Amino acid sequence: MEHFRNIGIIGRLGSTQVVDTIRRLKKFLLDRHLHVILDESIAELLPGHGLQVSSRKQLGEVCDMVIVVGGDGSMLGAARALARYKVPVLGINRGSLGFLTDIRPDELETRVAEVLDGQYTVESRFLLETQVRRKLEPIGQGDALNDVVLHPGKSTRMIEFELYIDGQFVCSQKSDGLIVSTPTGSTAYALSAGGPIMHPKLDAIVIVPMYPHTLSSRPIVVAGNSELKIVVSPKMDIYPQVSCDGQNHFTCSPGDIVTISKKPQRLQLIHPLDHNYYEVCRTKLGWGSRLGGGS
């Protein structure tokens, strides 16, 4: 197990609860004589903290572990920034769901202590990388831990596009768009659009059409190493958007080509030893428990 000495902290902005939790976490780590480094965006909300402040790039370069205090959205942003540095990331949930940030605030000291003492597991999650090209020239690129989504933006009209997988033509489609999701993202937007839940250990990508103008279009699960190409119809007069994790957006023109594939670097996600993916699904998605109320 890793020996964690330099601990980075990233927090969700705009939440007093997050700031309170970070103060508790900071005190706990300092009491254990660890070197604590704050992400520069959250440091401004902690006047007089007396700690080192770094950009996320620097956090990835100097930290042995980064702790994210916030919701899944905070973890998504941290994952995109830190995956390339292979620094393990631990999440403390201060959001509404918590599929990725699985430590509750009330158990902060106990759970973080277990991790620092070597009682944890590390799960490797892959990301997607996407690029938009216009007349062979790249005009936008981004990474996603959850999903890459082609959608109409502010328009209420359908998009027309062609889909290719590993160079083979799959179909042309008129729809509200297309969701390309990792197993991590299968419980997010893809789930809402009717896609399957995929265990995070699967090496697969799911492609989920959004309200297609046909009754026969269904989600497709393909190998994780597949390369997807989406060709936006040159006959359209609207400008659809590509969104990565619903956080990074760029606008396409008719005729643009969107390519999506697995990113070489992976997120190293830390869990407590008793982490149970199915328990997370059962809790967050409202699945039934055992008959008779047993656990």
Side-chain angles (χ1 to χ4, degrees):
M1 292 294 183
E2 294 285 344
H3 186 59
F4 302 123
R5 293 293 307 167
N6 301 303
I7 313 295
I9 299 178
I10 294 174
R12 178 166 64 91
L13 299 176
S15 170
T16 56
Q17 292 180 327
V18 167
V19 173
D20 291 342
T21 300
I22 289 177
R23 286 197 177 101
R24 278 178 55 201
L25 176 63
K26 175 180 77 103
K27 181 181 184 304
F28 172 75
L29 295 174
L30 292 176
D31 286 346
R32 290 184 64 117
H33 308 291
L34 299 173
H35 182 211
V36 180
I37 308 169
L38 294 180
D39 176 50
E40 57 189 5
S41 62
I42 199 69
E44 299 177 3
L45 304 180
L46 297 167
H49 56 74
L51 301 175
Q52 179 180 343
V53 178
S54 297
S55 66
R56 293 197 178 182
K57 178 178 183 294
Q58 291 170 324
L59 287 178
E61 292 174 345
V62 303
C63 290
D64 305 314
M65 175 174 65
V66 172
I67 301 177
V68 177
V69 182
D72 287 343
S74 302
M75 180 62 79
L76 293 174
R80 294 194 303 271
L82 298 173
R84 71 188 67 182
Y85 303 105
K86 300 181 180 179
V87 57
V89 181
L90 175 69
I92 297 174
N93 185 26
R94 269 303 189 182
S96 57
L97 279 177
F99 275 98
L100 299 171
T101 51
D102 47 25
I103 293 180
R104 299 195 314 268
D106 62 306
E107 57 182 11
L108 183 156
E109 289 85 0
T110 302
R111 292 301 197 178
V112 174
E114 290 173 355
V115 171
L116 294 173
D117 292 338
Q119 301 176 50
Y120 64 90
T121 60
V122 179
E123 195 172 50
S124 181
R125 303 279 186 103
F126 76 82
L127 292 82
L128 297 173
E129 55 184 8
T130 184
Q131 183 182 78
V132 178
R133 287 181 289 129
R134 184 171 300 157
K135 296 180 180 178
L136 302 181
E137 293 295 326
I139 58 119
Q141 59 186 21
D143 299 334
L145 177 62
N146 266 357
D147 47 44
V148 178
V149 182
L150 175 71
H151 60 97
K154 295 181 179 179
S155 174
T156 57
R157 297 170 60 184
M158 285 189 170
I159 306 170
E160 186 172 3
F161 56 88
E162 293 180 340
L163 172 64
Y164 296 79
I165 300 176
D166 292 329
Q168 295 184 326
F169 175 69
V170 178
C171 64
S172 60
Q173 187 176 103
K174 283 186 177 181
S175 68
D176 282 356
L178 196 68
I179 302 170
V180 180
S181 172
T182 66
T184 299
S186 69
T187 50
Y189 197 6
L191 178 67
S192 301
I197 294 175
M198 299 194 295
H199 193 279
K201 291 183 180 179
L202 284 175
D203 185 13
I205 296 170
V206 63
I207 305 164
V208 184
M210 299 165 59
Y211 296 101
H213 198 236
T214 171
L215 296 177
S216 60
S217 185
R218 293 292 184 269
I220 304 173
V221 179
V222 299
N225 290 325
S226 300
E227 181 180 83
L228 280 62
K229 182 173 75 172
I230 303 168
V231 181
V232 181
S233 172
K235 299 178 182 178
M236 291 196 312
D237 56 3
I238 65 170
Y239 292 78
Q241 288 192 333
V242 172
S243 298
C244 296
D245 286 341
Q247 297 177 343
N248 293 343
H249 314 275
F250 27 90
T251 301
C252 297
S253 293
D256 283 357
I257 297 175
V258 183
T259 56
I260 304 168
S261 59
K262 182 193 292 183
K263 188 176 177 66
Q265 300 86 5
R266 291 173 171 253
L267 171 68
Q268 305 303 313
L269 187 61
I270 293 180
H271 295 296
L273 283 179
D274 61 354
H275 173 76
N276 183 323
Y277 176 73
Y278 302 109
E279 181 182 1
V280 173
C281 289
R282 189 165 60 247
T283 302
K284 306 302 180 182
L285 301 177
W287 291 356
S289 298
R290 293 181 180 176
L291 295 178
S295 59

